[in-house]
Amino acid sequence: MAPSYSGVWNLQTQYQYRTGWPFDLNLGSKALTAIGYDDTNSAYSNVVERFVFESAGNSTDFGDLSVARSELAGFGNDTRALFASGYTGSNSDVIDFMVYASAGNATDFGDLASAQRRNPFGAANNVRGVFGAGNSSGSIYYVTIASAGNTSDFGSPTEQKSHRSQGMVGSTTRGIYAGGSSLTNVIDYFTIASAGDSIDFGNLTATKYEISGMSSSTRGVFAGGRIDGADTNVIEYITIVSTGNASDFGDLLSSTGRGASGASSSTKGAIIGGGTGGGGSNVIQTITIASTGNASDFGDLSLEAVDGASASDAQAGVQSPASLPAALGLFAGGESSVAAQTVIEFIDIATTGSVGMFGDLTSARYGMQGGASSATRGVFGGGITVDIMEYVTFSTKGKATDFGNLSANRYVVAASSNSTRGLF
């Protein structure tokens, strides 16, 4: 029997009873779940609840969305959760955000710029969120998570299907979604840093839709859904870095995966709510992503949730890099084989190695040959065929901000600077 947790402990006793210490929920891996359709009260819901992966138990109230809706996308980085689009009697173009560290109601982020969507997927790394492919003709869009604003066009899915997998599946570099109505077993992937059309990854074990998704840094998992109008409890997985068909992982506790949302920590996946026959479920189930096997009971939502959305501050794709290097170099824009790009990437000048995402330019372009900078601010100028100048602050990832204009549209511009003056 463990002693009282009060008073002074020696190191040996602390080690002996370490598993019994109360867990501080504020230090855990937090997941936020937008209920979606509240099957308990037969109404669209604006309720958002929170649970912590390290402490099994029921979810607690966190705040409210700006608009009650279901069939929305959830994604985010390690500080913000975004809930985008959805359905509330009609399609919605609303994007809300919440901060994991502070319970409270959602704040307006921007709008889906070109069309309203329902049933989209969502994926992200620590800088950029990508979502879309909802409805039967859905495109894919992206936002820079740290910088509120409307969406930009990203590309197109390989198939025009709605009811894609719900929940972030991917790594720091790659996003993945699967399934869809009408019916399909296709799994697609895209490179988060490079706007362009999705690429075929492989196939699910069956044609299905309303699937929940989750992932570690290496493995993606898809659970539940509907097959030919019937609910399924099947869980299957893929290896993110490769391409290929899904393999059997295990089973849900019951066929409660239709319209469930998915969330992940770096090691665990959660299947949240969902439909069960003709009704909804409030059950939260979990799996250990690295180990195939059946799901386990974790706790309950306060409501029966169908077609909701979730995001987590601990999903593997949003964890790296934890901080920016002291010796920072930035590269912006450029042209891929698909289109001009907005992405700003960084390197650690002091070491050799790969790049990471820093943010986005305000518009896609190439032909910028150099930039000007001080120790705190970098400025990019020109490009095909614009006079734009915009700046970033090295210590803060996000979207570039307008600085001013060159005297004319210029590209292939040489640049130089000291700590106070830049020349183009």
Side-chain angles (χ1 to χ4, degrees), residues 74-96:
F75 55 95
N77 61 10
D78 59 357
T79 59
R80 283 183 169 185
L82 273 64
F83 297 100
S85 195
Y87 184 76
T88 178
S90 59
N91 293 341
S92 172
D93 62 358
V94 172
I95 306 173
D96 290 336

Side-chain angles (χ1 to χ4, degrees), residues 136-267:
S136 60
S137 59
S139 297
I140 302 173
Y141 310 91
Y142 74 92
V143 294
T144 306
I145 297 171
S147 307
N150 297 339
T151 59
S152 300
D153 185 66
F154 188 91
S156 299
T158 61
E159 292 183 334
Q160 297 291 353
K161 306 286 185 180
S162 64
H163 291 89
R164 301 290 190 165
S165 52
Q166 173 47 254
M168 287 172 56
V169 178
S171 63
T172 58
T173 58
R174 178 179 279 192
I176 300 172
Y177 58 94
S181 60
S182 296
L183 282 157
T184 183
N185 64 350
V186 169
I187 307 171
D188 281 354
Y189 79 94
F190 54 88
T191 302
I192 297 173
S194 302
D197 295 343
S198 296
I199 300 170
D200 182 67
F201 184 98
N203 298 114
L204 299 169
T205 57
T207 57
K208 62 181 82 173
Y209 62 101
E210 295 192 0
I211 312 160
S212 56
M214 60 222 82
S215 70
S216 66
S217 60
T218 57
R219 176 177 281 186
V221 181
F222 301 101
R226 286 178 72 80
I227 301 174
D228 293 330
D231 300 339
T232 177
N233 67 347
V234 171
I235 309 172
E236 48 196 299
Y237 75 94
I238 56 171
T239 301
I240 293 171
V241 72
S242 62
T243 57
N245 296 336
S247 301
D248 183 66
F249 184 97
D251 295 316
L252 297 171
L253 293 172
S254 60
S255 297
T256 55
R258 173 184 59 84
S261 62
S264 316
S265 70
S266 59
T267 58

Side-chain angles (χ1 to χ4, degrees), residues 15 62 388:
Y15 180 79
F62 190 85
I388 294 171

Side-chain angles (χ1 to χ4, degrees), residues 53-407:
F53 279 95
E54 291 83 358
S55 182
N58 297 338
S59 61
T60 57
D61 182 66
F62 190 85
D64 296 323
L65 299 176
S66 64
V67 177
R69 58 198 192 273
S70 68
E71 302 179 38
L72 65 171
F75 55 95
N77 61 10
D78 59 357
T79 59
R80 283 183 169 185
L82 273 64
F83 297 100
S85 195
Y87 184 76
T88 178
S90 59
N91 293 341
S92 172
D93 62 358
V94 172
I95 306 173
D96 290 336
F97 80 91
M98 300 174 120
V99 178
Y100 292 107
S102 304
N105 295 337
T107 302
D108 180 66
F109 184 93
D111 296 315
L112 187 57
S114 58
Q116 297 171 334
R117 289 284 174 259
R118 60 194 283 195
N119 304 304
F121 75 88
N125 60 16
N126 209 22
V127 175
R128 178 183 278 183
V130 183
F131 74 101
N135 290 21
S136 60
S137 59
S139 297
I140 302 173
Y141 310 91
Y142 74 92
V143 294
T144 306
I145 297 171
S147 307
N150 297 339
T151 59
S152 300
D153 185 66
F154 188 91
S156 299
T158 61
E159 292 183 334
Q160 297 291 353
K161 306 286 185 180
S162 64
H163 291 89
R164 301 290 190 165
S165 52
Q166 173 47 254
M168 287 172 56
V169 178
S171 63
T172 58
T173 58
R174 178 179 279 192
I176 300 172
Y177 58 94
S181 60
S182 296
L183 282 157
T184 183
N185 64 350
V186 169
I187 307 171
D188 281 354
Y189 79 94
F190 54 88
T191 302
I192 297 173
S194 302
D197 295 343
S198 296
I199 300 170
D200 182 67
F201 184 98
N203 298 114
L204 299 169
T205 57
T207 57
K208 62 181 82 173
Y209 62 101
E210 295 192 0
I211 312 160
S212 56
M214 60 222 82
S215 70
S216 66
S217 60
T218 57
R219 176 177 281 186
V221 181
F222 301 101
R226 286 178 72 80
I227 301 174
D228 293 330
D231 300 339
T232 177
N233 67 347
V234 171
I235 309 172
E236 48 196 299
Y237 75 94
I238 56 171
T239 301
I240 293 171
V241 72
S242 62
T243 57
N245 296 336
S247 301
D248 183 66
F249 184 97
D251 295 316
L252 297 171
L253 293 172
S254 60
S255 297
T256 55
R258 173 184 59 84
S261 62
S264 316
S265 70
S266 59
T267 58
K268 288 184 177 181
I271 303 94
I272 306 158
T276 168
S281 170
N282 68 343
V283 175
I284 304 171
Q285 306 176 53
T286 56
I287 57 170
T288 300
I289 297 173
S291 305
T292 57
N294 296 336
S296 301
D297 183 67
F298 183 89
D300 295 321
L301 301 167
S302 66
L303 302 167
E304 294 178 346
V306 181
D307 292 328
S310 300
S312 168
D313 65 357
Q315 200 267 349
V318 307
Q319 295 308 300
S320 179
S323 60
L324 292 166
L328 186 70
L330 298 181
F331 301 94
E335 186 179 29
S336 72
S337 59
V338 179
Q341 301 290 319
T342 63
V343 67
I344 305 171
E345 297 179 294
F346 73 87
I347 58 168
D348 183 349
I349 296 174
T351 64
T352 58
S354 59
V355 299
M357 276 198 71
F358 182 91
D360 285 291
L361 298 169
T362 57
S363 63
R365 59 191 187 276
Y366 60 97
M368 297 181 295
Q369 298 298 100
S373 68
S374 66
T376 59
R377 176 180 282 187
V379 181
F380 301 104
I384 303 275
T385 48
V386 298
D387 62 357
I388 294 171
M389 288 191 290
E390 50 194 308
Y391 74 91
V392 295
T393 302
F394 289 126
S395 61
T396 306
K397 294 178 183 176
K399 203 165 193 174
T401 302
D402 181 66
F403 185 91
N405 300 98
L406 300 172
S407 60

